[in-house]
Amino acid sequence: AGSAQMTTEQRLIDFQHIAGLYAQNYAPYEFKRDVIGFDLYKLQPWVDRIRAAKTDIEYYDIQAEYVASLKDTHSTATNSSTFQAYINLDTDIYDGKVLIDFIARDEFPAAEYPFQIGAELVSVDGRPVDYWLTELSRTIAFAEPRSRLRLGASYIFYRVQSVYPRAAEIGQTVHIGYY
């Protein structure tokens, strides 16, 4: 078996198929258009982005954003990847701050990793935590922003490529900044 990147034409056909399925079957189209301002029939901006995409990962990312724009938890774009990247830390948002709320101490002994549960996460790999919240929640379809950001916070240390296409774009180590 071999693998290769899809051609631009293949990506466009794939996307048009997905958009066509929504055009034929998505009942709350008018509601979404009128209330949240997303018109699933306006494909040109998406098509332009797909034409400019250099990789399948970029394409899957665009596809996931399109579907997430519906702001429906029952609509999700996934791809067939089984790749997952995670470390045994977890975060959530408390009082507007991203806090560490789980540490597997068998993997992160306190003597070597002095952060504690309740520590505020301020950066990951040199980028502010707000960047990661925005990036990781971009393809999440929850309409309610707080829920979307909380799920994004849970993805900081747990990335599943089937739902976050860029999950494999990580290094071998992670550097965190915290208070």
Side-chain angles (χ1 to χ4, degrees):
S3 63
Q5 296 289 312
M6 289 187 285
T7 66
T8 300
E9 189 62 28
Q10 288 170 321
R11 292 179 191 141
L12 289 169
I13 289 168
D14 188 63
F15 181 75
Q16 289 166 352
H17 174 73
I18 292 165
L21 288 172
Y22 277 101
Q24 290 177 330
N25 299 301
Y26 192 70
Y29 163 70
E30 289 87 2
F31 173 79
K32 295 296 179 165
R33 182 196 61 210
D34 298 345
V35 174
I36 68 168
F38 178 67
D39 189 338
L40 65 89
Y41 295 148
K42 290 188 177 177
L43 299 180
Q44 195 58 53
W46 302 99
V47 167
D48 293 344
R49 288 179 63 195
I50 292 165
R51 285 188 197 284
K54 304 272 188 266
T55 67
D56 290 348
I57 298 297
E58 272 185 82
Y59 164 65
Y60 288 133
D61 204 41
I62 294 163
Q63 178 191 86
E65 276 188 61
Y66 173 78
V67 174
S69 296
L70 294 167
K71 306 281 189 249
D72 278 324
T73 56
H74 65 276
S75 295
T76 303
T78 60
N79 59 66
S80 61
S81 175
T82 59
F83 178 83
Q84 296 181 17
Y86 65 92
I87 59 174
N88 275 325
L89 295 174
D90 199 10
T91 58
D92 202 346
I93 299 175
Y94 299 88
D95 296 325
K97 297 178 182 180
V98 177
L99 304 182
I100 296 172
D101 65 358
F102 172 78
I103 305 167
R105 282 296 179 198
D106 56 325
E107 294 182 39
F108 298 102
E112 294 175 59
Y113 303 94
F115 47 82
Q116 298 291 325
I117 289 176
E120 181 182 357
L121 188 67
V122 295
S123 67
V124 178
D125 290 336
R127 294 183 185 246
V129 74
D130 286 345
Y131 165 84
W132 290 109
L133 288 178
T134 300
E135 172 63 18
L136 296 168
S137 64
R138 183 170 56 73
T139 59
I140 297 170
F142 296 167
E144 203 282 311
R146 186 169 181 254
S147 297
R148 191 171 50 251
L149 290 175
R150 288 189 68 209
L151 187 54
S154 75
Y155 285 166
I156 289 174
F157 297 119
Y158 179 63
R159 307 211 188 143
V160 180
Q161 192 170 30
S162 63
V163 295
Y164 177 63
R166 297 184 178 277
E169 296 175 350
I170 59 168
Q172 293 295 314
T173 59
V174 65
H175 300 278
I176 66 171
Y178 61 93
Y179 294 130

